[in-house]
Amino acid sequence: MSDEALPFFVYGTLRSDGHNHSAHLADRCADIRPAVLDGAALHDGPGFPWAVPDPTPGRRIVGELVTVRPGAYAGTLAALDRLEGCRADGTGLYVRRRMVVRTEAGEAREAWVYLAGPAAAERLRARPALIVSGDWADR
């Protein structure tokens, strides 16, 4: 798993109004801007969201593109991987993937996105808990 210093696309409890933001991101951010991940669906955890790739036309997830200060990047990446149960072998609760998101200004940016890991993605395909708006705040 690469550790390249990319911004993070956050869509649930790590968003600036989410309970995990203050613990893991608040004092480490250089920039936060609204963004959208196209080609993915948002599902209710419950209690936390899951992102799953979904080619259905119009599917998207609303979130924020968070750029972390360079001096805080390595520690933030490690903390977020732990929080998300991300494992190097790809079998974790979530998997971290490099994906392209679109900012509110229409700019395409590469970012790290935490997607549902294999077991959760399989469960959600079998029994979806879709948040139709794609916005965790609208669940």
Side-chain angles (χ1 to χ4, degrees):
M1 181 177 347
S2 172
D3 294 342
E4 185 177 343
L6 297 174
F8 296 91
F9 176 73
V10 297
Y11 52 86
T13 66
L14 286 166
R15 283 169 69 172
S16 56
D17 60 353
H19 67 271
N20 276 318
H21 181 84
S22 60
H24 299 283
L25 290 172
D27 61 345
R28 300 171 178 184
C29 295
D31 185 55
I32 300 173
R33 60 185 63 197
V36 171
L37 173 63
D38 292 308
L42 189 66
H43 294 265
D44 193 350
F48 51 89
W50 298 96
V52 178
D54 186 334
T56 304
R59 283 279 196 264
R60 68 189 185 113
I61 297 176
V62 175
E64 295 171 338
L65 184 65
V66 175
T67 302
V68 173
R69 289 184 289 102
Y73 192 83
T76 302
L77 179 66
L80 294 182
D81 278 358
R82 271 191 310 277
L83 175 70
E84 305 293 10
C86 194
R87 296 173 50 174
D89 66 2
T91 63
L93 191 60
Y94 286 84
V95 293
R96 178 169 41 91
R97 296 286 183 257
R98 178 188 204 126
M99 300 181 82
V100 175
V101 300
R102 186 173 31 89
T103 67
E104 192 173 52
E107 176 188 14
R109 297 275 311 272
E110 286 194 328
W112 289 124
V113 179
Y114 289 94
L115 301 171
E122 185 177 319
R123 177 180 51 80
L124 291 166
R125 281 192 212 45
R127 293 182 309 284
L130 185 65
I131 298 170
V132 177
S133 69
D135 191 338
W136 180 244
D138 292 341
R139 68 191 183 286

